[in-house]
Structures are given as C-alpha cells and as structure tokens.
Amino acid sequence: MAVSIVVEEDKYRSHLYGDGEKNTKWRFGAAPNYEAVNKLFEEGRTKIWPVGSLEEKVQNLVKTWEMEMFNKLDYDDYKTVDTINFKFSLNGSKPVNLEDMHRVLGGGYNAFMQTSLPQNLRCYDPDEETVESAHLAFITAFTRGFALEVLQVYSGPPVIVYKFRHWGFMEGPFKGHAPTGEKVELFGMAVFELDEKERIVKVEFFFDRGELLGRLVTKGGDDNLQGEISSSCPFLKNIS
C-alpha cells in the first residue's frame, strides 16, 4: 500500500522546508513557523498580486530573504544570497558585508534599527541589544508577527526597486511599554541587486525607524521619543 508523505511548505517562502533544509542550523533551534503571520498578511494586505507576476515574485523573494537573515545560523545554509559578495546598507549608510551585518550591526532586528542619534536620545538602542534580546522584544510586542507586503515594484531584476509596507498589532509589551492593541505600520523602499544566478548581492533599505518605534513607546512617556520623532526624514515620511 502506498504511503502518502505530507511535505511541509510555506506558500510565500522558499528554502524553509524539504530535503534542502534537512541539515540547516536554525538560530532558535527549529525552523520558524509563519502560520500566524501568514494569516495576518492575508487578512491585512492591500494588494493581491497575480500568480507569477513580477510583484508576487519580488514579494516572495523578500519574505524568503528575511526568513534566512533572521533564522539561519550558518551562512552556508543561505540560498537567496551570494554570501561572498553580499552587501547591506540602511538609509544611505556605508555598505557592509554579511559578516559585519551580523557581527558589527548586531544582526536580526538590530541591523534594521541602526541610527546616528546620540545614545541618550535613543528609545531603542541596537548597540545594547543582542540578536536574541532584540528578537524577543519584537516577537513579544507583535504576538502574531510583523507582516510584509510589496506595494509597488518600480523595476525588475537584476536591480529590483520596490516600495513595501510592514504592519502588526502591538498585543504585547515592548521594552517596558504596555501593549496598546493598536496597528503599527512601517513604510519604506528598498533596492535588491541580483547576480546572474538570481542570488542577492546587494540590499539597500530606506525607511524611518521612528515611524515604527514611535507607535511602540508613545503610551509610556519615553523621554527619548522626541529625539526619534525630530530625526524623522520628511522624504521618508512622504513615500507612504
């Protein structure tokens, strides 16, 4: 009698399950489960891209890349990037390689929360966080995850330029600030450059971290919040 084998899969992310990941080293001990955030995405997205469209392909690439960056411990397990030539930059900062993205910038959420603000004006300081503590802070605040959708794709490969939206509901505390239950949104733009093998060799993100953090700490009367708000870039504010 034939035995049917159920293969786990995520319809928005590649390189998460299957034989190609049987030896993958996962940062938090096991492959992440995106069931809750996928539900949040499907309920809250503003765009439904046609199957096979450029927009759908870009959206799935970004989701897969984020999954690998946040959850795969060994660079050899990365499938979406050229680990040798990869460069990352945030808001026009000097590009860094994969090693420095994790070792110098802190990896995970910390790499995306970099700021030039003086430490006494930071309501969230990536220099004081580890990958693990940052991960815990954000997943505690966003119990159903922080969903991503691509709003528009301005150019296709090899240089992909797109506008994105992240959102979630603050249903848990964040760094001592009580949950509000409110929707928190972040808008921005990014540039992904691919090589001839369709691996990512360069990533540039442009967004205002104050747009995110301001909604997480406003109820707590954080003394450093004004520093985050006053540093907001009018251009980045207007792209949403």
Side-chain angles (χ1 to χ4, degrees):
M1 181 176 66
V3 177
S4 61
I5 299 176
V6 177
V7 178
E8 290 184 285
E9 63 178 16
D10 186 294
K11 56 187 174 181
Y12 304 114
R13 298 167 185 84
S14 304
H15 314 307
L16 180 53
Y17 302 111
D19 289 343
E21 306 307 323
K22 62 183 179 182
N23 296 316
T24 295
K25 300 179 181 66
W26 297 102
R27 183 175 300 279
F28 301 103
N33 186 326
Y34 285 94
E35 183 177 351
V37 75
N38 286 346
K39 185 173 185 293
L40 177 67
F41 164 71
E42 290 166 358
E43 292 174 346
R45 60 185 169 181
T46 63
K47 305 283 187 178
I48 299 179
W49 300 115
V51 175
S53 65
L54 173 62
E55 291 83 0
E56 185 205 43
K57 291 177 180 178
V58 170
Q59 187 166 258
N60 290 352
L61 172 63
V62 178
K63 288 176 184 285
T64 300
W65 175 78
E66 286 191 348
M67 177 275 294
E68 292 197 316
M69 290 292 109
F70 278 72
N71 292 281
K72 291 186 176 180
L73 193 58
D74 193 329
Y75 299 157
D76 291 338
D77 293 328
Y78 290 9
K79 311 296 194 306
T80 59
V81 305
D82 176 349
T83 58
I84 302 299
N85 297 305
F86 178 81
K87 298 289 184 181
F88 170 87
S89 72
L90 176 67
N91 293 333
S93 62
K94 180 181 178 181
V96 297
N97 61 25
L98 193 59
E99 178 65 27
D100 284 346
M101 181 182 176
H102 289 86
R103 182 177 59 83
V104 178
L105 302 186
Y109 285 99
N110 286 329
F112 293 87
M113 291 289 105
Q114 295 299 306
T115 179
S116 59
L117 283 172
Q119 287 188 315
N120 65 321
L121 293 180
R122 302 177 184 182
C123 62
Y124 175 92
D125 190 351
D127 294 341
E128 296 182 354
E129 303 290 341
T130 65
V131 172
E132 291 76 17
S133 67
H135 180 78
L136 180 61
F138 283 99
I139 67 168
T140 299
F142 298 120
T143 58
R144 289 183 282 163
F146 200 42
L148 164 76
E149 71 170 335
V150 166
L151 296 175
Q152 189 167 350
V153 177
Y154 300 100
S155 68
V159 179
I160 302 169
V161 181
Y162 67 93
K163 179 180 178 181
F164 66 86
R165 168 183 172 244
H166 264 296
W167 76 97
F169 291 86
M170 189 188 178
E171 296 167 326
F174 179 78
K175 307 295 289 182
H177 297 270
T180 64
E182 296 178 355
K183 179 168 34 176
V184 178
E185 293 181 292
L186 173 67
F187 295 86
M189 295 184 67
V191 180
F192 275 36
E193 184 176 335
L194 310 185
D195 65 11
E196 66 280 358
K197 297 180 180 179
E198 297 189 338
R199 298 175 302 177
I200 302 167
V201 293
K202 187 177 181 181
V203 167
E204 298 178 86
F205 274 92
F206 301 90
F207 63 85
D208 176 12
R209 79 174 211 152
E211 186 178 6
L212 167 63
L213 296 174
R215 297 296 299 276
L216 292 175
V217 303
T218 49
K219 300 296 183 181
D222 195 300
D223 292 337
N224 294 334
L225 177 60
Q226 188 58 44
E228 294 282 357
I229 294 175
S230 62
S231 71
S232 298
C233 171
F235 171 75
L236 292 175
K237 285 288 189 182
N238 291 334
I239 65 175
S240 62

